[in-house]
Every structure is written in C-alpha cells, then in structure tokens.
Amino acid sequence: MASDKFVARHIGPRENEIQGMLEKIGAPSLEELIDQTIPQNIRLDQPLRLEDGLTERQYYRKILTLAKKNKVFNTYIGMGYYDTITPAVILRNVLENPVWYTSYTPYQAEISQGRLEALLNFQTMICEMTAMELANSSLLDEATAAAEAMIMLFNSRSRTKAKAGANVVLVDRNMWPQTLDVLQTRAVPLKIELRITDVAEFEFSEQVIGIMLQYPDATGEVFSYRELTEKAHAADAKVAVAADLMSLALLTPPGEWGADIVFGNSQRFGIPMGYGGPHAAFFAARDEFKRSMPGRIIGVSKDQHGNRALRMALQTREQHIKRERATSNICTAQALLANMAAFYAVYHGPEGIKQIAQRIHRIAVLLDREITALGYRQMNENYFDTIRFALPKHVKVEDIEWLSLELEMNFRYFDNGEVGLSIDETTNLDDINWIIEVFAKAANKPNPKITIYPEEDKIDAALIRSSAYLKQEVFNCYRSETEMVRYIKRLEHRDISLTHSMIPLGSCTMKLNAATEMLPLSWIEFGGIHPFVPKNQARGYHEMMEELRRDLSEITGFADVSLQPNSGAAGEYAGLMVIREYHLSRGDDQRNVVLIPSSAHGTNPASAVMAGMEVVVVPCDEKGNVDVDALRIKAAEYRDTLSAFMVTYPSTHGVFESSITEMCEIIHQNGGQVYMDGANMNAQVGLTNPKRIGADVCHLNLHKTFAIPHGGGGPGVGPICVAEHLVKFLPSHPIMNNGHVGISAVSAAPWGSASVLPITYGYIKMLGADGLKRATEIAILNANYIASALKDTYGVLYTGENGRVAHEMILECRHFKATSGISEADIAKRLMDYGFHAPTLSFPVHGTLMVEPTESESKQELDRFIGALNSIYQEIQAIINGESDKSDNPLKNAPHTADSVTADEWRHSYSRQQAAFPLAWLKENKYWPPVGRVDDAFGDRNLICTCAPTESYQ
C-alpha cells in the first residue's frame, strides 16, 4: 500500500498486520474471508468504473480548481438565506475542530456534557428570541421544520376537532415558496388539507385546526398578527409562525402575541449560506406541547453524586420506541450548526445581536429613502431587512438585472416586476453605494454618495420588541476572543470524540473524516453562495455534483441520484414518496402497504407512516434473518395493495442474508418495489450493490459510509439512488431547476446540504475504485477480528451461514443479568472509565451491544477496545465468583469521575486504582468523565430545558 496514496491514511491496519488478524479469525486470506461473508450470487462481476484514487495533494488542487469556478457575488435575494459573518474564533475552534465535528449524538450523556451544554445554549437562545417556553436542539431546515409544525398542528388538535375529522390548515401564501412546496409534499399522504391564501382571506370554519404565518412575510412586510391569533384561538385553531431569528431582536416575538409554535432557521447566526445548507432549523412551542414536539430536547438532570448533569430528555428517540405509531421520523439533527449558532449568540450577547439587527434594518431604511428619491416606489410599509421597489415606467427589470450583475450583485425579482433587496450583516458602505448606483444608472439619474452609516429606524411602535432577551449569564460573559476560546475549550474537554478513541457504534459507522476532505468547508467559494443565484455563478458546485451523482450511481448500480434529502430519515421518506408516485402514475392508487422486518431501524416504519402508508411487520427467524416464508405469505396476502418492502442490507443484525435476491423477487412478483436502507452500505461498496441484490431504490447515509462527520448529531445527508423506471419521480424544486421533475420538494434547498458534499466527493476521488473496495474489505476484516476475539466471552448473537459477520456484530450481554446483575447499560458506562464510547445499546436486540469498528481503526486500537471489554468481562466474573460485591462494584458505579476518585473519603469495596486505571495504558492517556451516571428519571420528572438560574436545579 503506497504511503502517498490516501487509502494508506484512511485505512487503519497496516499490510504487515492483516495476515495476523486473518489467522486470529481463521481465514487463509482476505479474499477468502470476503467469500465466506458475502453470498457469491450477489458479488459484482467487474470492478467499479471509477477513476484511480488521487493523492491528497492532487485532490486539493482539483477541489481548488472547482472552487475557483464558483463566483461569490454580493447577494440580496433573501428568501430565508443571508450572508453572515462567522466569527473566526468559532470557525477555527468549532467548525474546523475534530473534537466538535467527529463526536456522536449525545445518547451517552456522561461523555457528552460539552456538546450538551452548547445545545442547551441553543435551546435557551431560541426560547429567548422567540419568547416561547420550550425549544428543541434543532431540526433539519426551515421548510421541513414547517412540515413538522403542520403535522404537530394536526396531531395536537382538540378531541372535538379530531372527532369531526377536521384537517384544514390555513397557510399564508406569503410564506417562502420552498416552504410551501415541502408543506404540500408532506400534507398529501397524511390527508391534511392546505388552504393557501392571503391572510386577509382566512376563514375559520369548524374544519380548521390551525394557521401558518411568515414573520416578516415573504415580501418583507411585517404585520401585527395579535388579533388574528386571538381569532384563531377563539375558533379552537392553533397558530404556527415561521420567524426570522435576527428580526426578533427588534420585532415583538411571536410568543408575546400568542403563537403556539415558532420555527425557522438559525442560519443568520453565523452559519455560511453554503449553497443551501446545512443549517440548523429551530422549533419552539408552548410547554403544553413538550411531549409532542419533534426532534431532540436537551434537559437538565443530576448525576449519582447529586451534581448538575445534562442529557437528552423525553421523546428523544421516539421513532425507535413508537415505530409505526411515531409522529415524526426525525433522526439526525443539525447539531454542529446549532452549536455554532449558539456560540455566535454567546460571543455577541444581547447587545451585539441587537446592534447587528439594527444595522441591517437601518441600511434597509437608508436604501428605501435613497432609491425612492430616484423615482422608484418602495412597497413595504413596515419591514425589517427587505424592501421591494416598483419600477418607474422608463426603467426595465432587465436594466436592473444587467447592471447589478455587472457589479457582481444578485437582487431578487418578483413575478409582478418588482425588485427586492434583503440586507444582511455583511452589507457595508461600499455595498450601499453600489446598490444605489444600479438604481441611479437604470433611472438615468445622478448617483448620490453615502459616506456615513445610517441611524434611522422605520418600524411601527406597535411592532417593536420591548422585552429583554439573552439575559442568562452565558450570553453575558465571553466578549474577548481569549475568554471565548477558553469557554469553547472548557466544553470541548467534557466530550469524547474520535480524537480520543474509536467510537464502536453499530449502524453508525464512525470512520475517519479526513482533514483534506474537510478543508473546503471553510472556503468562501463554497460557503458564500446563495442557493438561488444563477447557475453560472456556481459552476464549480454543479461540476462537482454531477460527478458525485455519476459516482454514486456507479457505486449503487442505479440510474440516477437526488442529492436533495438532508438526512438519512429524509432519504427514507423521499424514497418512499418516489415509490408512491410511481404506483400512482400506473393507476395503482390502492398500493399503500409497506412490509418491514421486525429488526428494522425505527425510522423505517416511522418514515412509512409519514408517507401515508400502512406498515405490516415481517418477523425474523431465530438466526436474526428475515423469515422468507413469512415474507412470501405477507406479500401474497397484500398482493393487491403492496407498495414496498423496506430492507436493510446487510441486515440490522450485521449479516449478509443469502436469501436477499429471493426476497426482492417475491416483492416484485406481487407488484411491489424494494427499498433498501443504505445505513450499512459500508459493507457493500465495491463488492456488491443495491441493484445487484434486486432493489429499486436506496438512500445513502453520506454521514456514515461516505465520511461526512456526525458533528455531535448532524449534519446528515441522505441522497436517494433509483433504478431507471423511478428517475422521473425524483424530487423537484419550485425555484431552481435541479434536473428533476418528479415529486415536489422534500427539503428547502434544491441540492440539499450542498456545502458538505465536497467531503464525500473527496472521499470517493481520493480512494478511487480500488480504495473504496479495500475500505469495505477492511471494514469486514476489522469486524470479524473483534467478533473472533469476543465470541468466547460475550458471544456474537448472529452470524452468516459461514459463521462470519458483516461490518458489525451484536455482542450478547443478556446472560450476565441473571448471573451477576450486570446489564448492558452497566457495561456501556464502565467502558467510559476505559476511555471508550459505548457501542450501540439495546438495538436492534434488547440487552445487547452492537459494535462496528470501521476500516479506519488500527489494529492497536482494536486491541485496546478488545482489552477493555475483556477486562470488563473479568470484572463481571469477579461478581459471579463472589469476589466482588453485587451492588458495590466498578460496573454499577461507573463511570468514575476525577472528583469521586480523588475525594478524601473512599467508601467502595474496590480500590481507587481499579476504578480509574483498570488497565496500565490508561495512566498514559486518561479521559475523565465529567459527571457520574446521570439520573434520567429525575430529568424527565423535573424538566428544565434552558439555562435556568442555579436555584432551579435544587
């Protein structure tokens, strides 16, 4: 393996170690191991038709060439996307910091206290700005957050309304067009009726369950909705509001005029536009809706020592618990972006945020005055940042457009001929003068010169915010960069990430996110582009995305790809909606049944329900495989209504089921389509593919197989790949031609989370065909190496026909409970003392641990992990043998904090040495969990989801 090739840096085990690993496994060669693992009938006949892998230097030059093809203009289009300034201290210490971008979703609270605090700050910021009582720790984007609000309106309607079958939501026609499109996508399968009209035409019949408003609206106008809200509540209808977060520094927040739900986007708080994403949507509601809110909520609890500790609260994984009864399929959030937005608020504080908002508004007021003086008519009476002009008769829109493009500016052009400007925090004096110059030249008038920043406000007194916000200490402490970077580092030290040790989570594929792949994320050529600019300003993006689509098509065997879905669950939903549209196009309106194995990831049934489908569960046999006979019976039973079969391959149990092609044939024979969940694609690339097994559509988790970092819970990217007959149904977009003309949009941006696509692009380009295949082979090798090492102690629950696992395995822990009282959760917590994140806990089988090592982990790290688990096994044996107390032992009391180990008094029956340093190598590099075991029940009984004063925790 040449050391200048990226594959040598991406893959952990060295060539001289692989044979020894194979001997441990009992396989003569890597090729033989793969033959024993993957059924021969689904193996690829030829290598992937991709270019050879580039060196890191070659790739850097390639991506730099593409970046230079993107033209960064000053853009005043608005429509939910605005240029912003990411403070360098946040850019460098959060976005570019692998501790923040390689950490996992904080399901293991004790080793996630840093990112949990940052997310709690985000929730607090949202509650403060919106004047709402409760917020979650981010959703995907504004449009899908709107869809979640619409569904919540439907699910929380009164018993009277539900009994009457009320299903109408009144929607302001002046919401963002991309939001309206996504609302329609989501409403149709759930049989929610949207009545999109002017607010003045809202009629509150008995069928109306809620209203949806934009504040300020899509034209930039700001209205008082207090009376309308009162009218809605009088009619037993709830009110959901899309709000501009920055505007709420000046405008009366929706919570103060009676809104029930407030949602939107936090992009203006320091997150680059990035050609559409990713950006953290926000979602806030009144306290009464806390158990029906989608997404993750961070709550305050205490640990076993009584100390304050944070955790994810309430329905955090409700799609896994409720499955087909779930009210949301949200799995990924936008945690990394939410953290950045929260740090932006921490850094600027209330005074800074208000100053930024005032400056934006005052520049808009100045431009209103100066351009009106040139003979134009400004149409908005009250506005925050957006003004729109009716043109004089002698001025043509084409003149404005041509002149603005000459000066490298993008304006917004309304269908009625008006021209709009949305000001942002980057707008400066030069920009102001260039804007005025365009309108002056178009009107053939002298061009006035502006030399000082304006100080005039123009918001009606009835609309101005009078309440204080961001009052908490955290938003009023860190103004110097020195203090800010220390705060970020203080939180950073409270987390475990891939910078500390392997994260062996089954089904989550925590692999290397290479620095070379990550570099372009900081470049303005990728970050500084609005998603609705003319395509010729984003040529580098489009060249990259076309190549990426071709490469993903080759890898999956499918005909085409949509990059629009911005999470894995969003990809599931989009794939099912494409299948739904396919059946409708053939007149098969009745096909609405989805067969799903009982072992499936919880988002599968949840996504099916969101797509308006009926879920029928197919059992698994005693070996964990789908029961093919039961599948055949179910498929025949629902032959006339069968829509799809959702299958994860390799299975959620970590096995390549040999009957997969037979399963797909059964579905096709009964008129259905096969949806393959791509969560486990890391075991397929270069060796087999979804088309080869007989599937029709799959989604890919780019944040798993294709190296986009997890970022503490997101961003996720979930493109869907489809066979030829489904291509014409791929999601379109209402504003930009994204190359597809099928179903309406599934996310706000035409190409989803475009700014993180260079990561996957780089991963594929640097590995090349041979490297991608090699990565898959080593992922399988590493998994089988761990399985071989632990099969005689813990036991591996499921294997394939030849005794092999795929890229992950399920370790049996249930037998420990009866003999020692030790649960899988105790093992997970004890692993923290050894410096490891826990494997996936009790999924897909309760009482087990699911382990996935990935190809990026070295043999040395695998051995450390195996050593830790074997040491824990010996600790369990000590309990069984009576050598260790059943209730006072290192596992039951794990994790052990530095405070507890160094306390003056030590009351345990085992030593401090065993608690903190059970293995010698821990003395060289010890990670100390910042809190003891968290009391989950206390946190749910005493729900606190903001940075409340200290006395609130008593």
Side-chain angles (χ1 to χ4, degrees):
M1 194 184 297
S3 62
D4 66 328
K5 290 289 188 180
F6 175 70
V7 65
R9 303 303 182 190
H10 177 78
I11 286 176
R14 302 296 89 191
E15 288 295 319
N16 63 346
E17 296 170 332
I18 290 175
Q19 190 55 45
M21 295 171 70
L22 288 165
E23 289 173 8
K24 172 73 175 177
I25 294 167
S29 67
L30 190 56
E31 292 73 20
E32 180 65 23
L33 174 64
I34 300 303
D35 287 343
Q36 292 172 6
T37 304
I38 304 178
Q40 196 59 44
N41 67 319
I42 62 167
R43 293 287 297 278
L44 295 180
D45 300 325
Q46 58 185 15
L48 293 173
R49 292 170 297 179
L50 300 172
E51 300 93 337
D52 292 337
L54 302 174
T55 66
E56 293 185 61
R57 182 170 175 78
Q58 288 171 329
Y59 173 70
Y60 184 87
R61 288 179 172 176
K62 182 180 182 68
I63 196 69
L64 189 61
T65 301
L66 290 177
K68 289 177 179 177
K69 293 182 181 182
N70 293 330
K71 303 303 178 187
V72 182
F73 286 16
N74 284 352
T75 298
Y76 307 101
I77 294 172
M79 299 181 71
Y81 303 94
Y82 308 87
D83 206 358
T84 185
I85 299 169
T86 308
V89 65
I90 297 173
L91 182 75
R92 187 65 174 271
N93 294 288
V94 182
L95 180 64
E96 296 178 348
N97 184 344
V99 175
W100 287 95
Y101 67 69
T102 71
S103 57
Y104 185 59
T105 307
Y107 293 130
Q108 294 295 330
E110 294 84 357
I111 52 175
S112 309
Q113 290 296 298
R115 77 196 91 124
L116 283 166
E117 181 169 327
L119 291 173
L120 187 72
N121 291 344
F122 178 83
Q123 289 179 180
T124 304
M125 173 188 82
I126 298 304
C127 289
E128 290 286 298
M129 299 306 295
T130 60
M132 299 301 284
E133 295 164 332
L134 189 69
N136 67 20
S137 58
S138 87
L139 293 179
L140 299 176
D141 62 19
E142 182 167 335
T144 53
E148 296 291 342
M150 173 191 71
I151 294 165
M152 199 166 127
L153 290 174
F154 183 70
N155 290 331
S156 62
R157 60 196 162 150
S158 67
R159 286 186 180 181
T160 304
K161 294 272 188 182
K163 196 172 181 180
N167 69 335
V168 173
V169 178
L170 304 177
V171 182
D172 181 5
R173 74 165 73 252
N174 281 322
M175 295 189 80
W176 302 129
Q178 67 269 25
T179 298
L180 294 176
D181 213 48
V182 172
L183 283 174
Q184 289 171 320
T185 306
R186 293 284 197 99
V188 170
L190 298 178
K191 295 181 171 56
I192 297 172
E193 182 184 341
L194 299 181
R195 292 182 186 169
I196 302 171
T197 182
D198 289 332
V199 170
E201 297 173 8
F202 280 5
E203 293 183 5
F204 291 94
S205 68
E206 291 184 359
Q207 288 296 300
V208 174
I209 59 175
I211 66 174
M212 301 188 74
L213 309 167
Q214 187 102 31
Y215 180 75
D217 75 12
T219 69
E221 189 80 60
V222 182
F223 296 102
S224 172
Y225 293 121
R226 196 179 298 271
E227 288 185 14
L228 179 64
T229 298
E230 291 171 356
K231 189 176 179 181
H233 288 157
D236 194 17
K238 301 200 169 52
V239 179
V241 181
D244 181 312
L245 199 62
M246 185 63 75
S247 76
L248 300 183
L250 302 184
L251 301 177
T252 305
E256 292 181 10
W257 43 260
D260 299 291
I261 302 167
V262 185
F263 61 90
N265 202 314
S266 62
Q267 184 262 318
R268 294 192 92 148
F269 277 45
I271 312 301
M273 292 182 289
Y275 209 42
H279 309 130
F282 66 84
F283 195 101
R286 302 209 174 281
D287 185 69
E288 64 193 89
F289 301 112
K290 63 189 174 189
R291 295 195 178 271
S292 54
M293 274 182 68
R296 300 165 181 160
I297 298 175
I298 308 307
V300 180
S301 187
K302 63 178 183 178
D303 72 1
Q304 67 198 68
H305 310 296
N307 299 317
R308 176 181 183 268
L310 307 177
R311 58 183 282 276
M312 294 204 296
L314 296 176
Q315 72 299 333
T316 327
R317 303 197 78 179
E318 66 107 32
Q319 80 273 17
H320 289 285
I321 299 164
K322 296 182 181 178
R323 298 176 70 82
E324 65 272 15
R325 295 180 293 106
T327 56
S328 172
N329 71 337
I330 289 293
C331 187
T332 309
Q334 298 286 21
L336 181 64
L337 297 311
N339 287 336
M340 290 175 66
F343 282 128
Y344 179 94
V346 168
Y347 195 45
H348 287 298
E351 301 90 351
I353 297 294
K354 187 169 184 178
Q355 286 172 8
I356 292 167
Q358 280 182 326
R359 188 166 169 275
I360 289 169
H361 173 66
R362 288 170 177 176
I363 291 173
V365 172
L366 171 70
L367 290 170
D368 177 355
R369 185 185 71 218
E370 295 296 330
I371 295 171
T372 298
L374 296 171
Y376 298 82
R377 185 158 57 97
Q378 204 283 113
M379 306 303 291
N380 288 339
E381 182 179 352
N382 284 292
Y383 52 83
F384 165 59
D385 64 350
T386 300
I387 45 181
R388 56 193 174 98
F389 295 96
L391 309 186
K393 288 184 179 179
H394 66 285
V395 177
K396 296 179 181 178
V397 170
E398 293 80 7
D399 296 333
I400 300 287
E401 189 168 10
W402 176 77
L403 287 164
S404 64
L405 290 174
E406 279 287 298
L407 289 172
E408 297 192 341
M409 294 187 291
N410 295 304
F411 295 168
R412 182 179 173 193
Y413 302 98
F414 290 86
D415 292 340
N416 64 0
E418 293 170 358
V419 177
L421 298 168
S422 292
I423 306 307
D424 59 58
E425 72 165 311
T426 70
T427 309
N428 59 35
L429 282 175
D430 288 338
D431 302 330
I432 292 168
N433 283 299
W434 289 334
I435 291 169
I436 295 171
E437 181 180 334
V438 168
F439 285 91
K441 282 186 175 179
N444 199 23
K445 295 282 184 72
N447 182 21
K449 186 73 174 174
I450 305 301
T451 57
I452 59 171
Y453 281 106
E455 293 189 4
E456 180 187 354
D457 296 322
K458 192 182 177 183
I459 300 175
D460 189 285
L463 298 168
I464 294 177
R465 178 170 194 154
S466 59
S467 58
Y469 49 87
L470 302 180
K471 306 176 293 296
Q472 293 79 5
E473 183 180 10
V474 70
F475 300 111
N476 293 278
C477 284
Y478 309 107
R479 293 296 172 269
S480 74
E481 180 168 330
T482 305
E483 286 301 313
M484 186 65 187
V485 75
R486 286 172 182 161
Y487 177 62
I488 292 171
K489 292 297 176 184
R490 187 156 75 246
L491 298 192
E492 179 182 312
H493 293 154
R494 297 169 69 81
D495 280 358
I496 272 187
S497 70
L498 281 176
T499 64
H500 297 86
S501 55
M502 70 180 283
I503 299 181
L505 286 151
S507 189
C508 290
T509 319
M510 301 291 292
K511 64 169 66 178
L512 170 71
N513 315 120
T516 304
E517 297 160 0
M518 299 295 292
L519 284 174
L521 265 67
S522 302
W523 297 351
I524 193 171
E525 292 88 350
F526 287 111
I529 301 182
H530 191 289
F532 303 154
V533 300
K535 283 187 179 179
N536 61 12
Q537 293 176 26
R539 283 180 177 150
Y541 257 120
H542 286 280
E543 203 172 302
M544 177 196 71
M545 290 190 294
E546 284 305 306
E547 280 191 62
L548 182 57
R549 284 171 56 197
R550 286 199 300 271
D551 289 350
L552 293 177
S553 292
E554 173 64 19
I555 287 166
T556 59
F558 284 135
D560 203 356
V561 178
S562 168
L563 299 171
Q564 194 177 107
N566 48 11
S567 79
E572 290 174 13
Y573 176 80
L576 290 172
M577 289 298 287
V578 164
I579 289 172
R580 178 181 181 275
E581 196 67 18
Y582 166 75
H583 288 310
L584 291 175
S585 74
R586 294 159 56 89
D588 289 338
D589 303 29
Q590 79 287 353
R591 290 196 176 274
N592 70 334
V593 169
V594 179
L595 302 180
I596 301 179
S598 58
S599 62
H601 192 275
T603 54
N604 282 188
S607 294
V609 170
M610 302 308 290
M613 297 180 179
E614 178 187 340
V615 174
V616 174
V617 177
V618 179
C620 292
D621 61 24
E622 69 281 357
K623 294 182 179 179
N625 300 321
V626 175
D627 186 327
V628 178
D629 290 336
L631 177 69
R632 185 177 287 105
I633 292 168
K634 296 277 188 188
E637 180 183 352
Y638 293 99
R639 180 184 185 91
D640 296 332
T641 55
L642 181 61
S643 175
F645 172 50
M646 295 186 82
V647 62
T648 302
Y649 200 73
S651 73
T652 312
H653 292 147
V655 174
F656 280 98
E657 297 177 55
S658 59
S659 57
I660 185 65
T661 55
E662 183 184 357
M663 290 187 243
C664 294
E665 287 169 6
I666 289 169
I667 300 304
H668 290 145
Q669 289 165 3
N670 288 279
Q673 296 284 287
V674 176
Y675 177 96
M676 194 205 84
D677 185 317
N680 293 340
M681 194 69 194
N682 209 46
Q684 286 198 44
V685 180
L687 300 177
T688 182
N689 66 35
K691 184 182 179 184
R692 189 81 171 86
I693 70 170
D696 301 288
V697 55
C698 76
H699 87 268
L700 301 173
N701 295 94
L702 299 191
H703 51 290
K704 294 185 180 181
T705 304
F706 295 96
I708 290 178
H710 284 66
V717 184
I720 54 170
C721 312
V722 297
E724 185 67 46
H725 64 285
L726 296 176
V727 170
K728 64 181 178 181
F729 305 110
L730 287 172
S732 60
H733 195 270
I735 299 167
M736 300 295 291
N737 177 5
N738 67 352
H740 298 124
V741 294
I743 62 172
S744 48
V746 295
S747 73
W751 297 278
S753 296
S755 68
V756 294
L757 294 178
I759 303 169
T760 293
Y761 180 75
Y763 174 82
I764 293 172
K765 293 302 176 187
M766 286 190 286
L767 282 178
D770 291 342
L772 288 166
K773 179 185 176 186
R774 188 65 168 180
T776 309
E777 291 171 339
I778 301 301
I780 293 171
L781 171 73
N782 282 359
N784 280 280
Y785 180 70
I786 290 179
S788 297
L790 298 176
K791 65 182 179 181
D792 294 331
T793 49
Y794 291 82
V796 176
L797 191 55
Y798 299 118
T799 61
E801 292 175 0
N802 297 312
R804 302 303 183 197
V805 298
H807 63 311
E808 62 187 1
M809 78 224 67
I810 298 174
L811 297 180
E812 180 62 273
C813 303
R814 292 173 293 186
H815 52 289
F816 296 134
K817 189 84 170 182
T819 55
S820 66
I822 295 299
S823 70
E824 74 286 357
D826 296 324
I827 298 170
K829 302 306 180 189
R830 182 58 173 154
L831 268 170
M832 297 174 189
D833 288 327
Y834 289 79
F836 285 106
H837 195 291
T840 302
L841 196 64
S842 283
F843 175 82
V845 179
H846 187 72
T848 64
L849 296 172
M850 184 161 63
V851 175
E852 180 180 356
T854 86
E855 70 276 11
S856 296
E857 297 303 338
S858 67
K859 178 180 180 295
Q860 291 74 23
E861 185 70 358
L862 300 181
D863 287 339
R864 275 193 290 272
F865 178 69
I866 292 165
L869 278 176
N870 280 332
S871 177
I872 292 170
Y873 177 79
Q874 294 303 321
E875 292 175 341
I876 297 171
Q877 293 306 304
I879 299 169
I880 295 170
N881 298 335
E883 299 164 16
S884 186
D885 189 88
K886 231 177 178 182
S887 57
D888 182 32
N889 58 67
L891 284 98
K892 285 296 181 184
N893 293 322
H896 297 82
T897 64
D899 281 349
S900 67
V901 172
T902 59
D904 291 340
E905 191 173 8
W906 180 257
R907 298 182 175 179
H908 301 298
S909 58
Y910 52 97
S911 69
R912 299 175 196 252
Q913 170 90 7
Q914 186 180 359
F917 302 107
L919 293 174
W921 55 262
L922 284 165
K923 294 180 180 178
E924 299 175 11
N925 185 25
K926 172 69 178 175
Y927 169 82
W928 289 99
V931 297
R933 195 172 302 197
V934 176
D935 188 334
D936 293 329
F938 177 88
D940 278 350
R941 288 195 308 269
N942 304 276
L943 189 64
I944 299 172
C945 298
T946 57
C947 306
T950 307
E951 57 268 19
S952 301
Y953 308 126
Q954 302 304 318

